[in-house]
């Protein structure tokens, strides 16, 4: 009689070898891209290997995500995500037959930037993240077999993060004038899923700033400024660009029209 697990069949009278067979399981990880921009996806490829000599049984990978990323997906249906930890039940890993797992994450729009290390940053065996990395991910592997080398059972992968420059991607005036209409603000032309919102710094009067009905399209929004408006407001743009999601807050000052102008919209005089 025999019992089977994963890709291994064990004679029933030798079931003890299921636990005592010598193996050497290891784990490594790479990240793409590095550096990564705030708000964009970061992909990890995890490789589990076994240097043998026997098949490693009940292999489990535990991937602890950096708190500044969120889980999106995993390539293996045996992976589950709970509270920032991805657990993958790999099963049996034969010598010379490495298993690759892909974990997709999304980097927070407020993830730290400016660490001393600049990407691409090489990962390393161990559990200690290098000083100066913006993000750091820890992966570990275990097996119920007799793993003769434990030093290669964990791996850290740091990542460099770059800020997203809203001011380089959103065009529009930094000053608008009372009574002005049709003021245009342009977002990235390659982006999609636009959502424009006017956010007031204080409770505004009725005659303030409004988005023109029916003028918003994928890249441009136009606003009207009331004759009684004053102070400033924030024009917030939420959009998707590739696998990135961004929120840009553009602060706009409100001013009276320059003296000498004849009409409210003739501000070039």
């Amino acid at each position: 009689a025999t019992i089977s697990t994963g890709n291994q069949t064990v004679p029933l009278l030798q079931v003890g070898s299921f636990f005592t067979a010598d193996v050497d399981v290891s784990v490594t990880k790479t990240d793409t891209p590095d550096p990564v921009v705030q708000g964009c996806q970061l992909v990890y490829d995890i490789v589990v290997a076994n240097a043998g000599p026997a098949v490693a049984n009940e292999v489990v990978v535990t991937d602890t995500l950096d708190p500044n990323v969120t889980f999106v997906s995993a390539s293996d249906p045996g992976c589950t995500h709970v509270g920032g930890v991805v657990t993958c039940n790999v099963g049996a890993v034969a010598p010379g037959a490495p298993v690759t797992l892909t974990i997709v994450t999304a980097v927070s729009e407020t993830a730290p930037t400016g660490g001393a290390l600049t990407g691409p940053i090489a990962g390393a065996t161990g559990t200690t993240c290098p000083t100066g990395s913006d993000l750091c991910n820890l992966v570990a592997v275990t097996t119920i077999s007799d793993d003769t080398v434990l030093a290669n059972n964990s791996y850290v992968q740091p990542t460099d993060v770059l800020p997203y420059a809203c001011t380089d991607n959103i065009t529009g005036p930094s000053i608008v004038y009372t009574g002005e209409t049709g003021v245009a603000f342009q977002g990235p032309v390659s982006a999609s899923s636009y959502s424009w919102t006017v956010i007031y710094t204080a409770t505004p009067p009725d005659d303030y700033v409004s988005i023109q009905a029916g003028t918003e399209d994928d890249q441009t929004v136009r606003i009207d400024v009331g004759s009684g408006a004053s102070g400033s407001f924030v024009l917030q743009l939420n959009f998707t660009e590739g696998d990135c999601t961004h929120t840009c807050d553009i602060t706009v000052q409100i001013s009276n029209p320059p003296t000498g102008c004849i009409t409210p919209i003739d501000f070039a005089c």
Side-chain angles (χ1 to χ4, degrees), residues 71-161:
F71 175 78
V72 175
S73 66
S75 62
D76 194 302
C79 297
T80 59
H81 169 254
V82 178
V85 177
V86 182
T87 303
C88 299
N89 294 310
V90 178
V93 178
V99 175
T100 299
L101 305 169
T102 299
I103 309 295
V104 180
T105 68
V107 179
S108 168
E109 291 189 71
T110 59
T113 61
L117 299 179
T118 56
I121 309 172
T125 298
T127 60
T128 303
C129 294
T131 302
S133 58
D134 295 322
L135 303 176
C136 192
N137 182 283
L138 170 63
V139 64
V141 64
T142 61
T143 175
I144 65 170
S145 300
D146 185 14
D147 195 347
T148 59
V149 181
L150 299 179
N152 55 9
N153 286 18
S154 58
Y155 196 90
V156 291
Q157 178 58 61
T159 306
D160 182 25
V161 180

Side-chain angles (χ1 to χ4, degrees), residues 247-260:
T247 299
C248 288
D249 291 340
I250 308 300
T251 300
V252 184
Q253 300 294 321
I254 301 172
S255 177
N256 290 323
T259 56

Side-chain angles (χ1 to χ4, degrees), residues 34-50:
D34 186 1
V36 65
V37 176
Q38 290 173 321
C40 296
Q41 287 189 353
L42 176 62
V43 179
Y44 293 108
D45 286 320
I46 301 168
V47 178
V48 181
N50 176 18

Side-chain angles (χ1 to χ4, degrees), residues 233-245:
F233 64 95
V234 172
L235 186 62
Q236 184 179 87
L237 170 59
N238 297 281
F239 61 95
T240 299
E241 191 169 16
D243 62 7
C244 306
T245 300

